[in-house]
């Protein structure tokens, strides 16, 4: 049964574009269910509400298009928490620019690209689908999961579905078969195993996952790695985007290449290295040099060098290294410098394959 339509007026979140822009924040591979529904407008079902967001030249506005009877949160506060608006993106860019002056440019060309604080169950399950996948297909799978198991909210912009709870998923005795029919392929068994394990081992599995927000990064990562379909990069994406681990740095092949191109070669250069590291504390300078040497001869990340690359980002960018990586990821998607005419002709065809997620298992 569809929830009753009930729209509210637009309300200003009072946040400048320099601190938050909906595109690319909602489109760069963090969240997968926001739907473009108008000029600068994005809509999604969250917290039992159908929420509409609108980018204006000066701020972000929101309104509620509909809700379920169970809806009870303060939407404005929930959105401020979701976008982590208490953290100054501009101040972080100032800090990161001490290690990489190019952040001065990135803050202009990719201003307002924030790391989200998302519902933990949705983040976990959606990123399980991210392995060897792309943004378009992950979004399709996330929406299919919501449409089949979630609750529908009818609005003036169409029907939006909530993301299902673990209990709802666990109530399907044939979940693996259902997800296979929905197009999840080999990932269907990962979902079934993870849902069953969490519901069998914890009386309140969602609360267990939320409890990892207060655990150290190493413990949260270790708990996630016990789950089917979760490798190091998926675990780090969940830690960064749902569990408050701002120093979690997911490293896939793309970010690995960014690290090699932007940092390893520059740090080890006799002229560029000292200039790049001069504003960092001495112990961080020495550690960054040591880590860069370890990474220099490695062509692709492995279990050991994955951690080395993470440490390099943390020593360069500090507590919010995960946020810095997110901005680098977004900015580097358009890295081509003066591409040839032939490359320009291929851009549209190659864009989706280029946007491989940092979360690949």
């Amino acid at each position: 049964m569809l929830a009753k339509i009930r729209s509210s007026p637009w309300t200003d979140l009072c946040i400048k574009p320099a601190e938050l822009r909906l595109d690319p924040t909602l489109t760069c591979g963090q969240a997968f269910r926001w739907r473009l529904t108008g000029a600068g407008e994005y809509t999604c079902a969250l917290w039992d509400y159908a929420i509409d967001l609108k980018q204006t030249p000066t701020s972000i506005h929101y309104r509620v298009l509909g809700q379920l009877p169970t809806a009870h949160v303060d939407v404005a506060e929930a959105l401020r928490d979701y976008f982590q608006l208490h953290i100054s993106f501009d101040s972080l860019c100032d800090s990161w620019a001490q290690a990489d002056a190019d952040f001065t440019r990135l803050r202009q060309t990719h201003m307002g690209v924030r790391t989200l604080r998302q519902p933990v169950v949705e983040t976990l399950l959606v990123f399980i689908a991210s392995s060897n996948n792309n943004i378009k297909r992950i979004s399709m799978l996330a929406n299919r999961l919501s449409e089949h198991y979630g609750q529908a909210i009818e609005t003036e912009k169409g029907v939006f579905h909530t993301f299902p709870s673990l209990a709802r998923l666990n109530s399907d005795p044939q979940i693996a078969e259902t997800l296979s029919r929905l197009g999840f392929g080999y990932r269907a068994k990962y979902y079934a195993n993870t849902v069953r394990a969490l519901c069998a081992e914890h009386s309140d599995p969602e609360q267990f996952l939320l409890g990892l927000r207060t655990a150290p990064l190493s413990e949260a990562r270790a708990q996630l790695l016990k789950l089917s379909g979760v490798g190091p990069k998926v675990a780090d994406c969940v830690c960064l985007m749902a569990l408050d681990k701002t120093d979690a740095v997911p490293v896939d092949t793309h970010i690995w290449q960014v690290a090699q191109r932007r940092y390893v070669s520059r740090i080890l250069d006799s002229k560029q290295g000292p200039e790049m590291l001069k504003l960092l504390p001495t112990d961080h300078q020495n550690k960054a040099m040591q880590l860069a040497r370890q990474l220099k001869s490695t062509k692709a990340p492995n279990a050991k060098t994955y951690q080395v690359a993470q440490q390099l980002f943390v020593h360069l960018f500090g507590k919010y290294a995960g946020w810095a990586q997110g901005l680098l990821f977004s900015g580097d998607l358009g890295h081509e410098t003066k591409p040839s005419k032939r490359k320009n002709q291929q851009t549209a065809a190659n864009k989706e394959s280029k946007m491989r997620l940092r979360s690949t298992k």
Side-chain angles (χ1 to χ4, degrees), residues 92-361:
L92 289 178
C93 287
D94 285 339
S95 174
W96 300 330
Q98 294 183 29
D100 183 355
D102 203 33
F103 273 95
T104 302
R105 177 188 63 83
L106 283 171
R107 77 196 302 173
Q108 298 299 323
T109 59
H110 290 76
M111 69 170 66
V113 182
R114 305 184 70 85
T115 296
L116 302 173
R117 188 182 195 239
Q118 302 183 76
V120 64
V121 171
E122 177 173 351
T123 309
L124 169 63
L125 296 183
V126 169
F127 274 96
I128 287 176
S130 71
S131 301
N132 302 311
N133 222 336
N134 58 53
I135 292 173
K136 183 178 179 180
R137 179 163 172 76
I138 297 164
S139 297
M140 178 191 73
L141 294 175
N143 283 312
R144 286 183 180 178
L145 191 69
S146 298
E147 289 164 8
H148 188 83
Y149 291 105
Q151 294 180 270
I153 305 174
E154 185 179 13
T155 79
E156 63 191 64
K157 289 189 171 184
V159 178
F160 297 85
H161 293 81
T162 61
F163 197 85
S165 67
L166 288 170
R168 172 70 182 97
L169 293 168
N170 195 46
S171 68
D172 181 357
Q174 303 296 325
I175 182 174
E177 291 80 359
T178 301
L179 293 179
S180 291
R181 290 196 302 272
L182 292 175
F184 281 75
Y186 69 88
R187 300 177 183 87
K189 64 181 181 181
Y190 296 157
Y191 279 81
N193 292 340
T194 288
V195 169
R196 299 284 188 245
L198 285 169
C199 291
E201 296 174 15
H202 306 281
S203 58
D204 189 339
E206 297 188 27
Q207 192 58 46
F208 161 73
L209 291 172
L210 281 173
L212 296 178
R213 285 180 168 174
T214 59
L217 172 58
S218 58
E219 180 182 338
R221 183 188 287 131
Q223 291 293 335
L224 293 172
L225 287 171
K226 295 177 181 179
L227 301 174
S228 183
V230 178
K233 289 171 284 294
V234 171
D236 284 329
C237 283
V238 178
C239 284
L240 174 63
M241 302 173 203
L243 296 180
D244 298 341
K245 314 306 180 203
T246 58
D247 56 343
V249 181
V251 180
D252 67 355
T253 301
H254 183 80
I255 289 299
W256 177 266
Q257 293 169 347
V258 171
Q260 292 283 357
R261 184 179 65 250
R262 295 180 67 100
Y263 301 120
V264 172
S265 59
R266 290 164 64 188
I267 288 172
L268 297 180
D269 184 272
S270 59
K271 294 182 179 179
Q272 294 186 66
E275 180 65 23
M276 179 180 177
L277 300 176
K278 66 181 181 181
L279 295 180
L280 297 180
T282 302
D283 58 332
H284 282 233
Q285 293 182 33
N286 295 336
K287 187 64 175 179
M289 292 286 291
Q290 176 187 340
L291 294 168
R293 292 190 188 100
Q294 293 181 53
L295 294 175
K296 181 180 179 181
S297 60
T298 308
K299 295 182 179 180
N302 54 45
K304 179 179 180 180
T305 56
Y306 180 95
Q307 296 180 12
V308 174
Q310 287 183 317
Q311 292 175 39
L312 178 60
F313 275 98
V314 170
H315 278 83
L316 288 175
F317 302 117
K319 179 181 177 182
Y320 287 91
W323 281 54
Q325 177 258 23
L327 180 54
L328 286 168
F329 179 86
S330 178
D332 210 67
L333 290 176
H335 174 71
E336 300 293 339
T337 302
K338 295 185 179 180
S340 67
K341 181 177 180 181
R342 183 177 179 183
K343 287 185 178 180
N344 274 329
Q345 292 171 340
Q346 295 175 339
T347 298
N350 292 339
K351 182 178 180 181
E352 200 62 59
S353 62
K354 187 178 180 182
M355 293 178 72
R356 304 302 288 189
L357 292 175
R358 54 188 176 220
S359 59
T360 304
K361 184 181 174 184

Side-chain angles (χ1 to χ4, degrees), residues 48-59:
D48 293 344
Y49 295 89
I51 298 172
D52 210 14
L53 299 176
K54 178 170 63 176
Q55 183 84 56
T56 74
T58 59
S59 189

